[in-house]
Amino acid sequence: MAEAAARMAAVTRVDDAAFSDFYLGSAQRVAGIVALALGRSDLAEDATQEAYLRAHARWERVAGLERPDLWVVRVAVNLARDMMRGRRLEAAPLAADAPGQPVTAGEREIEALWVEWGLSQLSPMQRAAVVLHHVEGREIAEIATAMDRSRETVKTHLKLARARLRRLLEDPR
């Protein structure tokens, strides 16, 4: 996908100020959401670049959407999942031998690692729902649109993800 990055660099030089502003203002955040949702930053970067290329090709239509960035997130997540299936890859946990509880509640960096590890244990759909809802602060309806799923499906993914995270991250003391 190095060619996608080169094509994206050329796209941002195009005299399309609206798309360039959109890309420059949202690409880093979108790539971060996709990386958190999939647990694979390498695939997230490639998929995000390809999604922005597709957005550029359809810019007249995408620009008219209420949240074009959510369109790009959905496309990027779908592309990355296709890449994972094509390569028969699964999202790898952060650490295969990591214990299941934070070391101490007062150490924020360690807690952040545990949360990241917990997120890596979720399915891609559960991660996407959690990140969009709890990190990005998106409403269920927005998440359903971004994920191309029903509201009930998003609620189910959130419920299952919360329960799994609770089990993984609870302090048994």
Side-chain angles (χ1 to χ4, degrees), residues 157-173:
H157 284 300
L158 283 170
K159 181 179 179 181
L160 294 172
R162 288 180 191 129
R164 173 130 185 168
L165 286 171
R166 227 177 272 115
R167 283 191 309 274
L168 289 169
L169 301 175
E170 70 183 359
D171 188 352
R173 289 184 259 163

Side-chain angles (χ1 to χ4, degrees), residues 37-107:
L38 297 171
R40 299 277 317 250
S41 60
D42 57 334
L43 293 179
E45 291 172 15
D46 290 343
T48 299
Q49 292 298 321
E50 184 62 34
Y52 274 102
L53 287 170
R54 292 181 183 194
H56 185 263
R58 299 164 179 80
W59 184 239
E60 285 185 25
R61 184 173 74 74
V62 173
L65 297 173
E66 185 176 331
R67 295 292 311 269
D69 57 327
L70 292 181
W71 184 92
V72 175
V73 168
R74 182 178 60 207
V75 171
V77 167
N78 289 338
L79 286 167
R81 279 192 306 184
D82 289 347
M83 287 180 219
M84 290 170 68
R85 272 194 294 265
R87 296 178 191 174
R88 296 177 193 249
L89 298 174
E90 293 185 11
L94 185 63
D97 60 345
Q101 64 182 358
V103 175
T104 64
E107 299 180 43

Side-chain angles (χ1 to χ4, degrees), residues 36 38-41 84 89-99 113-123 127 164 168:
L36 280 172
L38 297 171
R40 299 277 317 250
S41 60
M84 290 170 68
L89 298 174
E90 293 185 11
L94 185 63
D97 60 345
L113 286 174
W114 282 115
V115 170
E116 190 174 339
W117 175 79
L119 287 172
S120 74
Q121 304 303 305
L122 302 176
S123 73
R127 266 194 304 272
R164 173 130 185 168
L168 289 169

Side-chain angles (χ1 to χ4, degrees), residues 73 80 97 105 132 136 154:
V73 168
D97 60 345
L132 289 171
E136 284 287 308
V154 170

